[in-house]
């Protein structure tokens, strides 16, 4: 699957965008920023599956203090509306009322996933919500969504690695790769 520089997955070739070292350094900075924000509190990190699981696992270990972790799995349904909506497939078992919640997302593309999930979250009256995205594509954003912490802003290109897949493969790559033009 892997050559020295490029990565072939199914029918496509990807080129390196971010090294494992670059990613780990930035995740450490994000962890430190969260530590400063939640000093003395016990935030609940909610990782949106599947893509965010690698980022979330590194981020909580960069957060060197008490915290809890939960997971949600979301699915999008187009239905009759072109915008579609997001539904919870696997919900949270934890009570969110009064909690400080950190939403961990892999990538904000159109912003649709995060936008709808934040609506669901607010209905449960958490004490505060902080959104953290490993990646954001500023040119692709269609839904108004505030991302408090962003790992990297990238161009509007398809990427794989560090939890993100192309048709099921590539999630286990420690670096990030972008589709070769
Ligand atoms: P949204 O458009 O709702 O912001 O993004 C929805 C989801 O699409 C993301 O959570 C992510 O799983 C997936 N996605 C968006 N852009 C990419 C990309 O470049 N590569 C991969 N592998 N998934 C992406």
């Amino acid at each position: 699957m892997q050559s020295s520089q490029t990565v072939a997955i199914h029918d496509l070739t990807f080129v390196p965008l971010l090294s494992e070292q670059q990613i780990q350094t930035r995740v450490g900075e994000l962890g430190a920023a969260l530590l400063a924000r939640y000093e003395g509190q016990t935030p609940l990190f909610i990782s949106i599956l599947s893509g965010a699981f690698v980022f979330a696992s590194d981020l909580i270990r960069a957060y060197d203090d008490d915290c809890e972790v939960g997971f949600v799995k979301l699915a999008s349904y187009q239905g009759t509306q072109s915008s579609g909506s997001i539904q919870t497939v696997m919900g949270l078992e934890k009570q969110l009322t009064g909690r400080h919640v950190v939403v961990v997302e892999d990538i904000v593309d159109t912003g649709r996933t995060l936008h709808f999930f934040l609506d669901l979250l607010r209905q449960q009256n958490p004490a505060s919500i902080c959104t953290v995205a490993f990646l954001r594509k500023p040119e692709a954003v269609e839904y108004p969504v505030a991302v408090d912490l962003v790992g990297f802003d990238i161009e509007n290109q398809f990427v794989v690695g560090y939890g993100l897949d192309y048709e099921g493969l590539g999630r286990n790559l420690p670096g990030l790769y972008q589709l070769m033009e």
Side-chain angles (χ1 to χ4, degrees), residues 105-113 137 157-159 164-165:
E105 173 68 306
D106 55 355
I107 181 166
V108 176
D109 186 7
T110 64
R112 189 163 69 105
T113 305
K137 296 178 183 172
Q157 289 282 354
F158 188 77
V159 292
L164 293 150
D165 75 315

Side-chain angles (χ1 to χ4, degrees), residues 74-85:
L74 307 174
S76 55
Y77 293 85
Q78 280 305 118
T80 53
Q81 300 204 348
S82 60
S83 60
S85 67

